[in-house]
Every structure is written in C-alpha cells, then in structure tokens.
Amino acid sequence: MSATLQPPVLPHVEPIPESRRLRWIVAQEGSRQTYSVPLAFYRLGKLRIMYSDIWCRWGRGLLKRGPAGARALATRFHPEIPGNLVVSFNFEAIMSRAWNQLRHANTTPEEASKEYCRFGRWYALRVREHLERVDTNPDRDCFFGFNSNCLEVIEALKKRRVFTVVDQVDPARVEEEMILEEMERWPGWAKVRGRITEEYWKRIEAEWKAADAVLVNSEWSKQALVQQGVPAEKIITVPLALDLPRKEAPQPINPVGTLKALWLGSVVIRKGIQYLVEAARLLEGRDIEFLLAGPLAISREAVESFPRNIKVLGRITRDRLAEVYRQAHVFVLPTISDGFAVTQLEAMAHGLPVVTTPNCGRVVTDGVDGLIVPVRDGRALADALGRVEGDRGLLREMSHNALQSVKNYGLPSNAAMINQLVRERRDCMSKAGQAVRRPWESADKL
C-alpha cells in the first residue's frame, strides 16, 4: 500500500509586531484534554490568564494516595502552566461539585443539563467579576471559553470590544436527536432516559450569538451547527491536539495472536456500543477478542446480552491508559456522534489503527491508518475488523502510518490554528465594519 499523508499546513504569514500580537484569556471549567488549550497557548507564548474552577496548587502527592475523589482533585493541575497565570475558585467549586454528587447518583439528561446551567452561570460570573479588575486591549486580547460556561463573560467583554470565541464541544441538538433515535431502535439499552432542558439549549445558543466566533473540532460538528442556524462564516474548525511524548518514540504493533480490538471510553449508546456488540456476534467464529474499557452507562440487561468474545475491563484510571492501549492491535470507535473523540489520537499515538465512522473528527485516512465504516452498521464494522484480522501485513502497515499521522496533531498545533483563524476573522470583521461605516462617515462630512 502506498499513500501520501497530508498534514494540515498553515500558510506562511509575515511576522507580526509585538504590539499587535494576540494574547489569550482562557476560561476552562474542568481539566478537559489535560488543559490542552491553555497549555498550547502557553507554549506559543500567548497565554495571558487561565481561569480554572479548581487548580490544585499544593498537596498533590498526598491526594494521589487518597480515595478516588482525592486522586481526581490531584489531576486538576498542569506542571508546565505557571501558577501566576492561573486564577481559580477552589473552595466554592469543590463544595459545589461535592454537593451535586451527593444529590445525584444516576443523573438524568434533564438533571445534568440543569446542573450545567447552574454551575456554568456561577463559574462565568466569577470569571467576569475577576476580569472587571483586569485592563484589556481590544487590539490584542482575545477570550476563549467553552459552551455553557461563558455567556456572562462574553457579554461583558463584548462591551469592551474584546474578541471572543466559544468552543462548542459537541454537535448540540443534532446529537441529542440521534441519541433519542437510538433509544427507540434499541429499547432497554439506555440506563437513563430523558431530554436535555430547553434552558440549556437557550444558554448555549445565546453564547453562539454573542461570541465573535464559534469553534468546533470537526466538520461533523460544523455541519450540525449550521443546521441549527449558526452562520457558516462564524464557525472556525480546529481539530484537537495531543501532548505527544518528546523522548521515546512508540513502535508499530506486533500483529500476532488473537486480534485484540479495543473500545475505550464511556460505554454508551451515543458511541455505538450496540453496533460493536452486533459486530462481535457476527465475528464469534473468528480469532478476535473485544476489550471494553470504560464505565458502563447502559442497562444491566444489555451488558448481560454481550457475546462471549467481549471482555469487560471496567473503568480505567488515566495512569493505566498506556497499559490498556498496549494490550490491543486495533482501536474501535463506531460512534453515532462525537465532537471529535480524542481517543482516536491517543490510540494512534500507541500505534493502533482506528476503525471509526464519519461522525467525529476526520483523523483517519481510510485504508491508510485505519478504516472508516458507515454509522449504525454492525455488519460493515464486522467486515472491517475481519479484514484486518485476516491481513496482518495490512494491520502492521496501518500501525506504522498511524504513528506518522498523529504527529500532525501535536501541541501546540491547535493553538496556532486558532490564533491564525481568529486573526483572519478579526481582519474580515474590521473590513466589513469599515465598509458599513463609510456612507455615514461621508454623510458627516456633508
């Protein structure tokens, strides 16, 4: 097999004077992608302030030896991001999170979306309150926030003419409708049922409207947001990135023995677990074993229906991820809908070809570093896995190509793309504003 991998190439741009270089204020609730966005901006020398709900400045060693909640708290930190750039709201945020977890064991979509709105509003108001004491320069400063957590900040910064970006991490209503369809197709599989509240949808739609740009991580998400009324020219598409190891280079897999196909992530119908089970049944006579790693979020009856070639590993802590990836030959992601699915990159970084659908970030080049199968098609998924099980030479070549492909998605490539696309959009908006003002300016002279 021969194929040319095409990395995302940024065009050459002339050096920008220091006085006009963009600098970024990032507000991130949680530790999404191990703080990849603020970390990437920091590595580019463009991070001005990072707001975090919780930032564990001290005591991490002790917390890591404690119960699960304490260990999770210890991960709210990144050693590379200087503490003097970070503003956090630890006490209030920890109390709020703890109280919410005590109240809700199996949270319904309605309950979860109400909590997203409550916490998102609280967090945005804390960030806004702090920013009121910060001098901003509309020619240089830009703000980056995540959906449901930044509406009040965007509205305040808009009055100060600071350029704002909201990261919409999933396809929103389009995704919910697809999940509801799957619940009807597969009755009894979902552990909890229900709809997201209209309050939540109105909040994120208000963020889309107020922000100067809406960022998504895939063409799949962009198409979904255009369907929901977001102007295409307002959307910027930037894939996620991975903090790749800088020392030891991973090696291609050794494609011998029983083919181990790995699923990693929450076991939910949104990610297509029902079609993986369908494929596993079709492949019971082949030398393939399915490793299911992640918290089970489907009904007990659904789990009990799994065929014998599925091995349930359960929830995997982050410190064990590398060990689990090393057990596998191929990564399986039959997702119904994902804003991106960074597990694709993690798998490729361990040399695993990826078998996935088009409804996520377009990382895989079909037939080169993995295979793309139609969404909601267990038979096509089974055929793809049967193909790599029967052609171990192809499997090894795909493994080698996966290790090369993932290099295109290392930090800080995402921040560099965001910075450039935002600069281009600012320039376009500035020119459009001048064109609108010109008749009025002429009239004033008369």
Side-chain angles (χ1 to χ4, degrees):
M1 180 190 304
S2 61
T4 303
L5 301 175
Q6 299 294 332
V9 178
L10 295 175
H12 172 74
V13 292
E14 292 299 320
I16 298 169
E18 178 64 32
S19 61
R20 294 189 60 246
R21 289 180 184 172
L22 302 184
R23 56 189 184 183
W24 287 85
I25 299 166
V26 179
Q28 174 170 332
E29 173 270 322
S31 57
R32 175 176 164 80
Q33 313 306 334
T34 320
Y35 302 105
S36 66
V37 170
L39 177 61
F41 280 126
Y42 174 71
R43 288 185 181 171
L44 287 178
K46 297 183 181 298
L47 181 64
R48 184 182 180 194
I49 306 173
M50 171 187 160
Y51 289 97
S52 179
D53 58 331
I54 300 170
W55 190 253
C56 189
R57 297 175 188 272
W58 308 284
R60 290 181 301 279
L62 183 62
L63 290 169
K64 288 177 181 177
R65 297 193 293 271
R71 296 198 305 273
L73 186 59
T75 65
R76 294 299 198 93
F77 177 79
H78 197 288
E80 199 174 330
I81 300 176
N84 65 318
L85 298 183
V86 180
V87 177
S88 62
F89 315 101
N90 287 8
F91 180 76
E92 291 177 274
I94 292 171
M95 291 299 100
S96 178
R97 292 300 197 193
W99 173 244
N100 188 58
Q101 288 184 3
L102 286 172
R103 287 191 304 154
H104 301 296
N106 290 319
T107 306
T108 66
E110 180 181 7
E111 291 168 338
S113 57
K114 285 181 178 178
E115 174 58 18
Y116 293 152
C117 288
R118 184 200 68 79
F119 190 85
R121 189 177 300 109
W122 172 85
Y123 177 66
L125 289 172
R126 297 289 82 72
V127 173
R128 186 183 73 179
E129 181 182 345
H130 186 273
L131 273 173
E132 287 172 353
R133 304 190 296 273
V134 175
D135 289 330
T136 53
N137 180 347
D139 293 328
R140 294 196 63 194
D141 288 313
C142 296
F143 172 80
F144 189 103
F146 292 84
N147 65 271
S148 83
N149 292 319
C150 60
L151 176 60
E152 291 77 11
V153 184
I154 291 173
E155 290 174 339
L157 290 178
K158 192 172 185 178
K159 296 175 183 177
R160 295 159 73 171
R161 297 188 299 113
V162 172
F163 192 95
T164 57
V165 179
V166 59
D167 186 332
Q168 178 59 41
V169 302
D170 58 44
R173 289 182 189 262
V174 167
E175 182 170 282
E176 184 190 41
E177 291 303 321
M178 296 185 78
I179 294 170
L180 293 171
E181 288 173 8
E182 288 302 307
M183 288 181 180
E184 296 302 317
R185 287 183 174 212
W186 299 82
W189 274 65
K191 183 178 285 188
V192 293
R193 296 178 65 90
R195 297 192 71 113
I196 292 171
T197 62
E198 195 62 26
E199 176 193 10
Y200 174 83
W201 295 128
K202 287 181 178 179
R203 179 171 177 82
I204 65 170
E205 287 164 2
E207 289 173 334
W208 300 344
K209 183 177 180 180
D212 294 301
V214 180
L215 184 143
V216 295
N217 302 124
S218 62
E219 284 299 315
W220 164 244
S221 286
K222 179 178 179 178
Q223 294 167 15
L225 263 61
V226 169
Q227 288 181 43
Q228 294 167 80
V230 182
E233 63 273 14
K234 192 174 188 176
I235 301 173
I236 59 176
T237 306
V238 179
L240 294 181
L242 202 63
D243 195 7
L244 298 170
R246 304 179 190 182
K247 295 182 180 179
E248 297 181 9
Q251 298 299 309
I253 60 168
N254 184 15
V256 298
T258 299
L259 183 78
K260 300 296 180 70
L262 174 66
W263 165 298
L264 180 64
S266 296
V267 182
V268 292
I269 62 174
R270 175 179 64 81
K271 289 184 175 287
I273 181 59
Q274 57 276 31
Y275 299 103
L276 180 135
V277 171
E278 201 171 62
R281 286 201 184 97
L282 293 169
L283 293 166
E284 280 193 277
R286 301 287 291 270
D287 193 17
I288 302 177
E289 183 180 36
F290 293 83
L291 306 177
L292 215 62
L296 296 172
I298 55 176
S299 68
R300 184 178 62 183
E301 293 75 17
V303 175
E304 291 173 349
S305 73
F306 288 179
R308 290 178 298 175
N309 56 356
I310 293 181
K311 182 178 180 181
V312 178
L313 303 181
R315 186 186 295 270
I316 302 295
T317 54
R318 180 153 289 277
D319 58 343
R320 289 187 54 213
L321 287 183
E323 171 193 338
V324 173
Y325 279 120
R326 284 195 294 267
Q327 294 179 34
H329 297 109
V330 63
F331 187 74
V332 189
L333 179 70
T335 184
I336 307 302
S337 176
D338 257 294
F340 184 84
V342 77
T343 48
Q344 298 178 91
L345 299 183
E346 292 179 352
M348 284 182 162
H350 286 85
L352 301 186
V354 175
V355 179
T356 189
T357 72
N359 292 9
C360 58
R362 288 296 188 103
V363 173
V364 173
T365 301
D366 189 38
V368 176
D369 44 27
L371 297 169
I372 298 176
V373 299
V375 69
R376 294 169 164 165
D377 194 334
R379 166 61 69 179
L381 181 60
D383 290 344
L385 293 168
R387 178 183 174 189
V388 294
E389 189 272 330
D391 189 343
R392 299 307 176 97
L394 172 63
L395 184 61
R396 183 174 179 83
E397 187 169 356
M398 285 183 171
S399 173
H400 173 80
N401 290 338
L403 290 170
Q404 300 306 309
S405 296
V406 77
K407 293 178 182 178
N408 300 323
Y409 299 91
L411 292 178
S413 64
N414 56 337
M417 291 181 70
I418 294 168
N419 200 70
Q420 180 176 318
L421 291 171
V422 164
R423 182 169 290 283
E424 291 172 358
R425 175 148 178 82
R426 279 164 52 106
D427 290 346
C428 287
M429 290 174 64
S430 177
K431 291 175 182 176
Q434 291 171 4
V436 169
R437 284 195 299 270
R438 200 166 292 131
W440 293 98
E441 292 167 353
S442 299
D444 289 341
K445 293 176 182 178
L446 297 177

